[in-house]
Structures are given as structure tokens and as C-alpha cells.
Amino acid sequence: MEPLVEGERVYRDVFDGEVFQSWMDQGNIFQNSNDIALLIFVDGFEPKYVNNHTMTIVHCLIMSIDPSYR
């Protein structure tokens, strides 16, 4: 991994890590070119000004797409 230049902003995630790279080198994951890494967050909450209601947010990220396009 290249050293960080002072003041440079770099988006990093699990795909930059050594564990992920070793999995890729061993062929344990993403064996098919159509495989997709999907990250899903689910969060339930009660709106501040609405009583007796709950809402849920489902947020999905496609992690196998380059970070500059996410």
C-alpha cells in the first residue's frame, strides 16, 4: 500500500486490506466475474415529531464497485 501524502484524502475500505487481498489471491471469493459484494445496513427508529410510529431505513452499498463511483 502506498504511503499517504499529507493533505491527501483517500477513500479506503475492506477491499484495501491484507485479508481481502489474500482471499482474492487464494481464489476463495469472487470466483465468478458476476459476483457482487453487497453491504446492507438496516436501522429502525421513531420519528421525532410523530408518535406511535416507527420507520426503517435499508441502505445498500455495492462494495465491488470502485469507491470513486459509489
Side-chain angles (χ1 to χ4, degrees):
M1 190 177 295
E2 296 179 21
L4 194 61
V5 177
E6 187 175 334
E8 180 182 14
R9 291 179 148 185
V10 177
Y11 186 88
R12 297 188 186 265
D13 57 27
V14 69
F15 294 98
D16 294 327
E18 292 177 21
V19 172
F20 174 76
Q21 291 301 322
S22 69
W23 288 344
M24 288 295 290
D25 294 342
Q26 295 171 9
N28 293 336
I29 58 173
F30 302 115
Q31 297 173 359
N32 186 321
S33 63
N34 294 322
D35 289 345
I36 297 173
L38 185 63
L39 183 61
I40 301 174
F41 300 94
V42 178
D43 186 21
F45 64 97
E46 295 180 10
K48 187 174 182 177
Y49 299 108
V50 182
N51 295 328
N52 300 325
H53 285 82
T54 59
M55 299 181 87
T56 302
I57 294 174
V58 178
H59 185 84
C60 299
L61 294 175
I62 302 173
M63 299 302 290
S64 49
I65 294 176
D66 186 271
S68 62
Y69 294 110
R70 284 189 219 146

